[in-house]
Every structure is written in C-alpha cells, then in structure tokens.
C-alpha cells in the first residue's frame, strides 16, 4: 500500500509574499540541519561503534550550536518581523507563529550553553548505557548532576521569572498548560488506583500462552515483528526495523525508522514495542511530504506523538478483534497454539509487581509515569539530590506499586531519558489519554462495528487514513487544544481513557 | 589490540595566541559539521530506505551550504588574517595554511551553487543506482549532464583563468601538480603495456582454488572478512563492516567504518575489497585523536588515502608470506583445500578481459583508470557529450584491454563516482604508486626478512605502526610531496611500483 500522504500545496510558492519566502528559506535550512541531527542520533543508538562517542558529541554539538545561532540571529528576527507584517493566510501564519515561538524561546540561551548541553548529552548517554549494564548508579550520578545543572541554567535563561520545571515541560508540550496536566493526573489516580485494587483482588487467571511456550529466538521474534509491520502497511521504502537498547522512532515523512528489542522469555514484549513504535512512525509518515522542513510538516508535541503510538499499541493490537484476525499468524511464527481469546488475555495482563516501565500494562503504566514526574520535578527544584534518586525511586515504587527493585538497573537506571532531558515522561500519559479520546471519535465517525471489522480483517488502511486526516496532515498548524477539538469535538479529557480501561479490564477480570 | 594513535599535544591550548584559538574555534565547528555530513553519506549508502533520498538531499545541502557560509565568511577571513600575523610554530602554521587554502578555494563559489550541487549529488546517486540496476544509461544521462554543468560552473568560480579540469583535480590532490601526474601516467603506460602483453603470451596457468570450489554464501564470506579484520587488528569499538553496492570507507579517528560486497562466484573479491577498505580505515584510525576537527587531524589527499588501501590490499594480502600464514584460516572458512602457493596465485591472476575496475588485477587496473581520466577530462572540456559516453567507453575498452562490455551496467555505469564528482579516479593510481614506494621504504627500515616474517606470522601491528609514524599521524601537516619525502626520502616516483610488479608477475608468469 502507498503511504497515506495529505495532498496540500506547498506554502512557499512563487506568489507568496517575499518576506514570507525569505523567512522560510532561513527556517527550512535550520529544520534540515535538525533532521540531519536526527540521523546522527539514530546512528548513535543503532549503528555507531562505541568509540565514536567522542566524535559524535562534537558533531551534534556543532549542529545544535549552528541551528541555535541561525534560529536566534538578527536576520531571523528581522525576517520574522517582516513576515508578520505581510498579511498572511492561516497556514502561512501558523508557520510564522511556530517559528516565532522557537525564536523567542531560544534567543536568550547562550550558544555556548547549547553546545555544552548537546555534547554532554552524547557523553551522558554512553555513561548511562555503561552504568545500566554494570548496575552502577554512582558511575552515572556525576553525568546526571551536570545535566540537571545545565538544563536548569537553560530554563532560567529562557524565562528567569518562571519555575524551571515548567519551562522544561514546555519543550515537549508547548500548548497544554502544566496545571491542566496536573488535573488529568488527579483524575487518573482517582480512577486507576481503585481499579488496580479491584483487579488485584480478582480471582481471574488470564492465559499466558506465549510465555508458557518457553523462550523465543531473536529471529523468530523478528519474523513476527515483520509480519505485523506488513499488516500495518509500514512501508519498506520509507522505514526500517532495527534493534536498540531502548525502542524508539526517528525520522520524518520520507524516512521514519523504528527499533525494538527482544526478550526471549516474552515475545509479546517486542511485539507490542514494535506496534508502539510503528504508531510513532505512522505520524511522521502521515505528515505532508511537501511541507518537509516547515512547522506544518512537523509533529506537534510529544503527547500527540505518543497518542499515535498508544492508539496502535492499545486500541488496535491489544483488542480482541485484532487477535481474532492475527492469532494464526502469531502461532505460526511462535510455534504456539493459542486461541484468540488467550492471546487477547496474554497482552492485557495487569502486573502490579512489574518493575519496568516499558513492560508495564495499560493501568500501572501511569503510576510508573507519575513516580518519574515527581522525581523529575524534585530533582529540578532541588528538593532531592542526585545521590538520593535510587532511594527515593525505591520508596515510591513500594508506595505506588508495592514492589522494590533489587538493582538500580531495574530501577532508576532503566530509562534513557535522564541522560538527556527532564520533564518528558508526562508525554506518555497524555498520549494514552488522547489515544482513547481519538479512538472514541474515530469509532463514532467510522462506526463501532466497522472499526472492529477492519481490525479483525487486518484492513488497517482506513484507520491510518482517519488519523492522517484528523491529526497527521495538520503538522503544527493548530495548538494542541485546538487540534484535539478539531479531531474529537472536545478538549482533552481523561474521561475516555478511564471509560475504556474500566470496560476492558472489568470484562477481563470479571469484576 | 589498542588502536595505534600518535601521542601529540593538542594545538589549541590555553597558551596558544588568542587569534589562533579564535580561528580554530570557527574551523573546528565547520569540520565537525563536515564529519556529520559524512555520517549522513554513510547512512545513505548503507542503511537509508530509498524513500529517504528527498529528505537526505535537503539535509546534506543545508549542511554543505552552512559549512560553505562559515568557511567563506568575513569572520573567517578576519580570523585567518589575525592568525597569520600571530607568529605561530610549524604545526599551528600548517593548520592555518590548510584553512587558508580552503577559504580561498571556496570564497568565490556562490552558496546557492554549493547547495544545488549537494542536493543534485544526492539525487544523482539514487538515479545512478536505478540506472545501473536497469542497465539504462538514458535514465542517468540528464543527471550526469547537470552534474557536469554544475561542477564546471563551480570550477570556473574558483579560478576563472585556469582549466576547469585542473581545478577539479585539485579538490582531491592539492599538492601534486597535474603535469606530474601526467608524467607518472606515461611512465606507467610504458612499463605496463609490454608487461601485460608478455603475460598474455605466457603459458603459465595460475591456480584458482577458491573459484573452483563453487559459490560461497554471503555468511561464509562475511566470516572470512571478519577473520582477516581480526588479523589486521581492525578495532571493533572504532569500526564496523557492512555491505553496500560500492565498497567504501567513511569516518574519522574515532569511528572508521568500512563496507564490502559479496560475489558468490569469487570469495576473493570481497576478501580483497575488505582488506582494501581496512587500509583506508587504518589511515583514519591512525590520525591523532587530539587533533580531531583540525587539518592536522584529517587525511591529506585522495592519493595518499589510496596508498594506504593499496598497501594492505597488495603489499600485504597479495603476498606469498601472507598466504603461507593465512591459507589454513581461509580454507576453514571456505571449505577449500588450497595450498599457500595456490592461494597466492588465485589473488594475483591477470585478467585483461575483465570489465570491472574494482575487480581488476594490479596491472590492468591502471588502464581502467587512464580510460576514465580521459573520458572525465573530455566530458569536462566539452570534447564529448554525455550521450557519447557509452560509445566512447566501449571504444576505449576495446583499444586498451581488447574487450567491450555487453551492457552499460558493466560499462560506463559501473562506478558511482560520476554521480558526484569528476577528476577523482587518478587517486587510485597515485595510491598504487605511492604504496609501492612506502612498502620499499618500510622494508628498508624494518628489514626485508622481518617484514615478510611479520606478514607470515600475522603480526601486523608493526606495519600499521610504521605507517602511522610516517604517514597517518601527520594529518595535513605536510604537502604531499614533502610527506612522501619525509616518509621515503624521495619524491613520488613510478619506479618502485614498476619494479614491484615486474618482479612479482615476472615470477608468477614465468617470463
């Protein structure tokens, strides 16, 4: 199947106002340098030999310093002023609005700090990898402390009069006020905690046909990932699947790559990771080709990005109709004999005693997130020191999930995020919430039975097309709240997610 | 084994003149952006999905325009003037000399042309790949014509009063006058043509044990490449081996990657390609770590680079002592039963009827090069049109080698080079000539018998160390002629290469 792409005219046409063309010429170069950095980042995670770290740090630092220099230059300031006076239509004005936002956010950050931060992140990632492999938090601590100091310095340069954590949060989520997120967190806690308690008290014993079958070889699992990517219409000529320590997606509308990683004891782990990352890629691939390099051709926020991965992971690949259609293929690959119902149960087990975020179920996942956001914030605001992170982590794990990890590798060292940024984890929860709301809107538009039938039949093109039509093709045209309203008719709300999990897990766990 | 690196102090120390530090700060950023481009280029050849071409072209164009802008800026001109007045020592002065050369060469080239050229080369590479796969020169012709026009425009901007071909030649070979190259070509022709004729008339029938054993699987060949890379001390933490249509090396002292490609019918093809590319990587890895980003930490010219690949390919892996040591390992991998002498003969067969440059033997290879240089120059100087290339190619193949290809895929479409540049092929011949001269100097320094013994025993570290000491560690400190004199005590000469091939092939072909 061809990649779904929206059919829009480019905004930089010969008849566009000269001031606009001048601005976009400057901006597109910045944007292309940034997408070049993305390739270097992918390479560092997937293909680079270890010794390359020193050079990669320098390359990425030179790129970030250069884009920063261009984004904050007087030439850019002048071009923005001129473009804003040019009387532009809505789409072009949206491009200018986004460029203005980035210009303003960066102009008071010194270039030397940008360069230092980028270089430090490259170094820090390598140190994190080593520390995780050796279960050695002390090895990672100095890098984390430096990162915290540099990120706080950056946030204070951007907005000296506002809390650093909020400023960092807006890097990923520019259009959803932190207060609104906090309300959503409260709504979720109020709904999820009793639901998890009920499930823990339930006698239901969900099937585990894939784990029961014993270890699966990497090649077997790769075959299964390939099969589901075919079903999802992931285009071979615009993507690739690799293995990395931490699954991720990188790229743009022309080249959106995903990674996964294989756990021998549970093939559903890589399977759901692959579908999750496909969801991220589906967003990139749904951005309009002819807006490449413009804000209108780029993804909006990390929460919206995550809504796409969550939609495919949870609302497609964790549904009963999906397994009614796909279980035969899964059995063929894995040499198992699961029924559709057993497979459906297998991917929907709730494990409050799980330690690892990326392996968490749809309910406890958000407690893993809340824990991280709290530590994040306490670190940034100086309420805890870097040295205290492992102890605080273990304490909160015990408090929220009733388990504590035996090692930091399975605890506070498990995620790559703190080798680069703070205030990023909330994107996962926003994504789950928005995915449920989009799923509801899609089902209302296409028909509940039809969506189930399409998923059952593996005819997934119409679902991707709906998402492209309502989310992807807009790029950064609308702020998040407007996009959510455009797509679903309502502001972002936790209601649909809670409804969805209550219905699904209520049925699975016979409440 | 640890990677051999020279132990030099960095040139940008706190006590360096401020003018020098200012210049190097600007230049290192440029250099890091350029090495970032190198990663994007590697990715395009090795890992990028096809659809990514459009985006990659934009990314590389933005990078080249940005480095061009910085290299030719007024700030750079001022920094150069100031550094030149600062009374620097030899090493720092060499850095400044090299930066000055690049600044002067680029300052009259318009940035838009640089951007256009880079983007066109990305496009052109993709078209070349398709045209080669489909044996369709007409598909490639328009891209080649545009490239020619753009490259001529660039050469005329650099030096309007000098022949465009000479200006292009100096991109890769700044310090070896084109006239000197022409003399070397004449010496070679005078020596090689009669030698090839004698070999064609010889009754000798060299052994082909590896071809005789039938097709080898890719995995088998990869195993053999891995084994020889281990023997060569290619460091896993600073390199990697991949497969690409055209074998190449990419990287720097921290991350020097090589590629190869497997022909089922002849495992020695990939084997020698792997050793050849290792030779390129050995140069990068031998550059001083602490000069990364400075001219003193970069390779000197394409001819010198090629001398390193040729040294390892021909003067190590095509010698009898090498096969006396390695034939057992090769037999184990390939399931063959060759003797050392048979293996030595197998990798030294002369095939005047071979059509493909990268598969050519050590003698006819240079006729392939001369043919390309002649077409190159005729194209650039307008003596032939793009449409005439296939016919002229076939005519010259017949004239020099007595064979003509049946398809353009095996003819003028075989090499990637014309999708990017002209006047590059001579580097291969300069490399062979210099490799023989360096081999002679090394053997005089270390002792003929000792070098043979080291190669026999697979104890190759001392050879790499000698090359690092005499070539690699200098980076661009000396112009080519000075480097050759430093390393060998004499100017570049075809004499040693001719002596070497006459002795070797005289013995092999019982002349």
């Amino acid at each position: 199947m061809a990649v779904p792409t929206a059919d829009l005219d480019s905004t930089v046409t010969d008849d566009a106002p000269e001031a606009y063309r001048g601005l976009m010429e400057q901006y597109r170069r910045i944007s292309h340098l940034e997408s070049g950095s993305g390739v270097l980042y992918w390479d560092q995670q997937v293909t680079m030999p270890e010794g390359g770290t020193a050079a990669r740090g320098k390359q990425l630092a030179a790129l970030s310093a250069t884009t920063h220099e261009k984004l904050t230059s007087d030439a850019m300031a002048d071009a923005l002023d001129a473009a804003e006076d040019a009387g532009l239509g809505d789409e072009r004005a949206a491009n200018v609005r986004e460029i203005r936002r980035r210009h303003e956010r960066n102009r008071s950050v010194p270039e030397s700090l940008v360069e230092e931060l980028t270089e430090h992140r490259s170094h820090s990632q390598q140190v994190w990898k080593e520390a995780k492999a050796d279960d050695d938090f002390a090895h990672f601590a100095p890098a984390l402390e430096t990162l915290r100091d540099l990120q706080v310095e950056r946030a204070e340069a951007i907005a000296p009069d506002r809390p650093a954590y909020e400023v960092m949060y807006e890097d990923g989520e520019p259009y959803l006020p932190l207060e609104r997120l906090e309300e959503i967190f409260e709504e979720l806690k109020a709904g999820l905690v009793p639901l998890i308690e009920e499930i823990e008290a339930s006698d239901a014993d969900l099937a585990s046909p894939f784990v029961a079958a014993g270890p699966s070889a990497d090649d077997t699992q790769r075959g299964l990932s390939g099969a589901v990517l075919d079903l999802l219409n992931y285009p071979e000529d615009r993507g690739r699947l690799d293995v990395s320590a931490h699954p991720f997606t990188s790229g743009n509308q022309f080249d959106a790559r995903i990674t996964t990683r294989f756990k021998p004891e549970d093939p559903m782990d890589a399977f759901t990771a692959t579908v999750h990352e496909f969801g991220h890629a589906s967003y990139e691939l749904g951005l309009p080709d002819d807006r490449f390099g413009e804000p209108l051709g780029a993804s909006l926020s990390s929460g919206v990005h995550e809504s796409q991965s969550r939609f495919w992971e949870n609302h497609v690949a964790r549904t009963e109709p999906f397994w009614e259609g796909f279980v035969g293929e899964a059995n063929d690959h894995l040499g198992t004999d699961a029924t559709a119902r057993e497979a459906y149960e297998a991917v929907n087990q709730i494990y409050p005693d799980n330690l690892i975020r990326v392996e968490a179920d749809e309910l406890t996942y958000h407690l893993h997130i809340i824990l991280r956001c709290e530590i994040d914030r306490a670190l940034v605001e100086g309420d805890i020191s870097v040295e205290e992170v492992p102890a605080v982590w273990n304490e909160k794990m015990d408090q929220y999930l009733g388990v504590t990890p035996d090692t930091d590798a399975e605890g506070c060292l498990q995620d790559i995020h703190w080798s680069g940024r703070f205030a990023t984890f909330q994107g996962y929860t926003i994504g789950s919430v928005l995915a449920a709301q989009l799923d509801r809107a899609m089902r209302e538009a296409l028909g509940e039975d039809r969506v189930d039938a399409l998923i059952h039949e593996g005819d997934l093109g119409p679902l991707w097309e709906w998402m492209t039509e309502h989310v992807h093709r807009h790029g950064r045209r609308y702020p998040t709240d407007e996009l959510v309203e455009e797509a679903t008719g309502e502001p972002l709300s936790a209601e649909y997610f809670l409804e969805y999990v209550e219905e699904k897990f209520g049925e699975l766990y016979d409440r």
Side-chain angles (χ1 to χ4, degrees), chain A residues 207-226:
Chain A
S208 302
F210 304 121
V211 171
S216 300
D218 285 5
D219 280 357
T220 302
Q221 296 200 45
R222 188 181 274 274
L224 181 63
S225 279

Side-chain angles (χ1 to χ4, degrees), chain A residues 35 52 56 63 121 216 229 277 309 317 379 431:
Chain A
S35 81
R56 186 56 41 87
L63 271 158
R121 284 162 59 186
S216 300
L229 289 174
E277 299 305 332
S309 55
L379 250 183

Side-chain angles (χ1 to χ4, degrees), chain A residues 147-159:
Chain A
L147 184 78
R148 195 259 322 267
D149 295 346
L150 292 171
Q151 289 287 19
V152 168
E153 192 183 334
R154 175 176 173 273
E156 284 171 353
I158 293 172

Side-chain angles (χ1 to χ4, degrees), chain A residues 326-337:
Chain A
F326 193 72
V327 71
E329 179 110 33
N331 282 330
D332 286 351
H333 279 276
L334 299 172
T336 46
D337 193 28

